Amino acid sequence: MEQHRTRPAQYGPRRGRAPLPPQGRGAGGAAVGRAVARPVGPGAGGAPRRPATGRPPVRSGAPAARSGPPVVRALRALRGMPNPRLTGLGSGLFCAAVMLVLGFLDQLLFGASLTVYGVLFLPVCLLTALWVRRGDLLTAPVVVPIAFAVGLVTVAESGKGVGGRLMGLVTALATEAGWLYGGTLVAGSTVIVRRVRLLRRRRRAAVRERTAA
């Protein structure tokens, strides 16, 4: 019969290990350990706290958005306007209808002033060139002179009969050719800028596709 020997329990610290300090034994040691485990610093995460003041935080971006040169503010205002996309036919109808309405208003309010009509023609040309869709950009410089002639019927001096009206229209076109060329130039310049930006975007997209492949 084999007899298992029982090893008597050894009291006291084991050999090879340093004895624990008296602060680490018992409930006091646990409290000290919790106190040491806490992060050191005035804040909860160790970050310094900022002094509390009654003033609200100042946003640095708000003054910069309002300030700026007039050109930048004008561009921001144009971006905030509605941005429809008109076809070539739609842009022509839009420009002609607006010039007719402005011609009637000019006749009622300013006594058919050709100068007022020419000044109002410039922003209409700009809007037409901005709102035409990308595929029909080249139609904007074509439709604005036609719309100018259509609206000019309401403010041109007209004689008796059809011949008198035609003579008055031709005379008005000859005398107000500067406004006509100016509006066409505005539309053409806007279309060229949009066309250049479109080509640049296409090139960037093509480069990105090549680099991704």
Side-chain angles (χ1 to χ4, degrees):
M1 297 295 290
E2 296 182 359
Q3 297 180 358
H4 297 281
R5 297 179 181 179
T6 59
R7 187 175 180 179
Q10 297 181 0
Y11 297 95
R14 296 182 181 181
R15 297 179 181 179
R17 294 185 180 181
L20 296 174
Q23 292 84 358
R25 300 176 184 176
V32 173
R34 289 195 298 268
V36 174
R38 293 179 181 177
V40 179
R49 295 180 180 178
R50 298 179 180 178
T53 57
R55 299 179 181 179
V58 180
R59 298 181 180 178
S60 59
R66 297 179 182 179
S67 61
V71 179
V72 177
R73 284 181 286 180
L75 291 176
R76 290 174 182 172
L78 288 176
R79 290 180 180 177
M81 294 179 62
N83 192 20
R85 283 292 172 255
L86 303 175
T87 61
L89 179 60
S91 62
L93 293 176
F94 164 77
C95 191
V98 172
M99 293 311 300
L100 274 175
V101 173
L102 293 178
F104 282 117
L105 291 177
D106 183 18
Q107 186 178 9
L108 293 175
L109 300 177
F110 301 99
S113 174
L114 294 177
T115 304
V116 174
Y117 180 81
V119 171
L120 295 175
F121 175 65
L122 299 180
V124 175
C125 294
L126 179 61
L127 292 178
T128 304
L130 288 175
W131 289 350
V132 67
R133 65 182 184 180
R134 299 174 182 175
D136 298 328
L137 286 175
L138 298 179
T139 59
V142 178
V143 299
V144 291
I146 301 174
F148 183 83
V150 170
L152 195 61
V153 176
T154 58
V155 295
E157 296 181 0
S158 59
K160 296 181 180 180
V162 180
R165 288 184 176 274
L166 289 177
M167 287 299 296
L169 179 60
V170 172
T171 304
L173 285 174
T175 56
E176 303 300 323
W179 297 110
L180 177 61
Y181 294 151
T184 307
L185 181 62
V186 169
S189 302
T190 308
V191 166
I192 290 174
V193 172
R194 289 188 59 190
R195 184 68 178 177
V196 170
R197 293 183 61 184
L198 179 61
L199 292 178
R200 288 182 179 179
R201 289 179 183 176
R202 289 179 179 177
R203 289 180 182 178
R204 292 176 183 175
V207 171
R208 290 177 183 176
E209 289 180 359
R210 292 177 184 177
T211 54

